[in-house]
Amino acid sequence: MRMNAIAMMVAFPALVMVVNMTAATAAETKSDVKGLYLLTDYPAVSVRPGTTSTISLRLQNYGLAPDNFALSVDGAPAGWTVTLLGGGQPVGAAMPATDQSVSLQLRLDVPADADASKTLTVKAEGQGNNVSLPITINLAKELPAKLTLSPQLPALRGTPKSSFDYAVSVKNDSGRNLTVSLAATAPRNFETSFTESYGTQELSSVPIDAGASKDVKLKVRPPSSVDAGSFPIEMTASSGDTTAKTQLTLDVVGQPRLTIAGSDGLVSARAEAGKQSTVPVVISNDGTAAADNIELSGSGPNGWKVEFDKKTIDRIAPNQTAEVNALVTPTDKSLAGDYMATIRAASRGETASTQFRVTVATSTTWGMVGFGIIAVALLLMFGAVARFGRR
């Protein structure tokens, strides 16, 4: 333990010495650079005749006292417009502080009839300190327009009720700004539209600067009756004579589609007040996928009971049917007439409902009671007439 402490005491001054030597070396290295420098990241550039280009510069002061340096550009051919900018406006002088720099821009307006490469010299002249920077300007031919489409997810999968949104990046690889028209080719009855990547405004074209890209969203809506399968979608971007295309895929998976009817297609039934009646119900699956765990429910006028001999159907394959019995019980006080009862079926978000017309007849017992009441009333009436008529 003590030996370790002694070792640390010996090593710590050595470590401090090394750090101090490193810092001193760095300071000494930094002090070796002194003077005024006119710098640019790209001393040779290519520009297209008839365009405007900007070259970034900086006037760097290493270890000198601040001074006023006059700025100028030599070698500009006739017809060229050359401007030095600082802070976004034309400048004629700059004053960098000690160990600081001033950012500048050299803007070139090259005429369309320019025919040869040139070398321009940017100068900064002060009291005893002058510096210059030659910049070679090569004339480049106009690059042909070129577009590139890059879908983020070229294949999407879902049901006919799903939303299919393809995110696609459209890049302008040409040397000029373009207005790009957008189009999509899809199977019959498929709806397509374009929107901004993070908006809802539909669009048919987008402006894209030279060398830039823009993200758009292609929305595809298949018809609700579409069968399961894989469908090709082609997106096209065009501007003038240039065109770019990309192939997309839309995979539609099967989905059940339920319908409800009575036996022989009828949606009517007869019932008796206060008594349970059996109504045959046929559940059909007209979709492209099996319907599983189909839950049945029903409702009728206030006080009615609508039940089933089995509340759940395990499975109905595509284009198949299943039959159940609805057990309908009107209230015992229901008057004779027609009423509406609703039968429902639900499976994995797919639902169906149908209204059945139920014709209710009063029971025989209540009919006999009613007949008796009417008969008694008639007897009382005739008795009263016979008794009081003789007076």
Side-chain angles (χ1 to χ4, degrees):
M1 182 79 177
R2 186 175 180 181
M3 293 296 293
N4 290 339
I6 295 174
M8 290 180 62
M9 294 176 62
V10 173
F12 183 71
L15 179 61
V16 173
M17 184 180 298
V18 171
V19 172
N20 289 338
M21 290 179 63
T22 303
T25 303
E28 185 176 334
T29 302
K30 183 176 180 181
S31 64
D32 289 343
V33 180
K34 190 173 183 179
L36 185 70
Y37 295 87
L38 194 54
L39 306 171
T40 182
D41 293 337
Y42 308 104
V45 297
S46 296
V47 300
R48 185 163 49 90
T51 63
T52 298
S53 298
T54 301
I55 303 171
S56 296
L57 311 171
R58 61 185 181 276
L59 184 62
Q60 179 73 53
N61 178 355
Y62 286 116
L64 300 178
D67 195 0
N68 186 358
F69 295 95
L71 303 174
S72 62
V73 181
D74 291 343
W80 289 41
T81 301
V82 180
T83 309
L84 279 170
L85 303 175
Q89 60 185 1
V91 294
M95 183 181 290
T98 304
D99 294 327
Q100 300 294 323
S101 65
V102 174
S103 296
L104 304 168
Q105 295 83 39
L106 175 63
R107 189 176 72 182
L108 305 174
D109 294 301
V110 182
D113 58 354
D115 57 358
S117 299
K118 303 294 180 180
T119 297
L120 306 181
T121 302
V122 182
K123 295 181 178 180
E125 299 176 338
Q127 297 295 326
N129 289 297
N130 300 324
V131 65
S132 62
L133 173 66
I135 299 177
T136 302
I137 310 299
N138 297 311
L139 300 183
K141 296 181 180 180
E142 181 177 349
L143 295 175
K146 181 182 178 182
L147 296 171
T148 304
L149 297 179
S150 301
Q152 184 176 354
L153 296 173
L156 297 179
R157 179 183 177 90
T159 69
K161 295 182 179 180
S162 300
S163 177
F164 297 88
D165 296 338
Y166 297 88
V168 182
S169 177
V170 185
K171 186 176 182 182
N172 176 9
D173 286 320
S174 64
R176 65 180 187 275
N177 300 341
L178 298 176
T179 298
V180 181
S181 298
L182 305 173
T185 303
R188 185 178 179 181
N189 296 329
F190 280 58
E191 297 181 8
T192 62
S193 62
F194 290 93
T195 64
E196 297 175 322
S197 179
Y198 298 102
T200 58
Q201 180 64 46
E202 293 191 7
L203 46 85
S204 58
S205 62
V206 289
I208 306 178
D209 293 338
S213 61
K214 185 163 291 187
D215 294 333
V216 298
K217 185 188 297 180
L218 169 60
K219 301 175 69 69
V220 182
R221 292 174 290 274
S224 59
S225 58
V226 66
D227 293 332
S230 181
F231 300 90
I233 308 293
E234 183 179 75
M235 176 179 169
T236 303
S238 59
S239 179
D241 296 333
T242 184
T243 300
K245 296 183 178 181
T246 187
Q247 299 296 325
L248 307 170
T249 302
L250 188 153
D251 291 323
V252 177
V253 298
Q255 184 176 19
R257 185 165 56 243
L258 301 176
T259 58
I260 302 173
S263 60
D264 298 328
L266 301 177
V267 287
S268 61
R270 301 185 68 85
E272 190 173 318
K275 291 186 178 182
Q276 184 182 88
S277 299
T278 300
V279 180
V281 177
V282 178
I283 313 296
S284 302
N285 179 10
D286 300 327
T288 55
D292 298 319
N293 298 321
I294 306 163
E295 295 184 357
L296 303 176
S297 61
S299 61
N302 187 31
W304 284 39
K305 292 182 179 180
V306 181
E307 301 172 323
F308 299 88
D309 58 353
K310 52 180 180 181
K311 293 198 63 174
T312 303
I313 302 173
D314 293 337
R315 182 181 180 87
I316 303 178
N319 300 316
Q320 298 297 317
T321 62
E323 186 170 335
V324 297
N325 290 319
L327 307 177
V328 180
T329 307
T331 61
D332 55 2
K333 296 181 180 180
S334 297
L335 300 177
D338 291 338
Y339 299 83
M340 303 304 295
T342 302
I343 307 298
R344 304 179 186 87
S347 172
R348 294 189 303 173
E350 174 66 19
T351 61
S353 65
T354 298
Q355 287 190 327
F356 280 71
R357 186 182 65 192
V358 181
T359 301
V360 175
T362 55
S363 66
T364 305
T365 302
W366 280 105
M368 293 179 64
V369 171
F371 180 77
I373 293 174
I374 294 173
V376 171
L378 289 174
L379 288 174
L380 291 174
M381 183 182 66
F382 285 125
V385 170
R387 179 179 179 183
F388 295 102
R390 288 194 293 267
R391 294 184 181 182

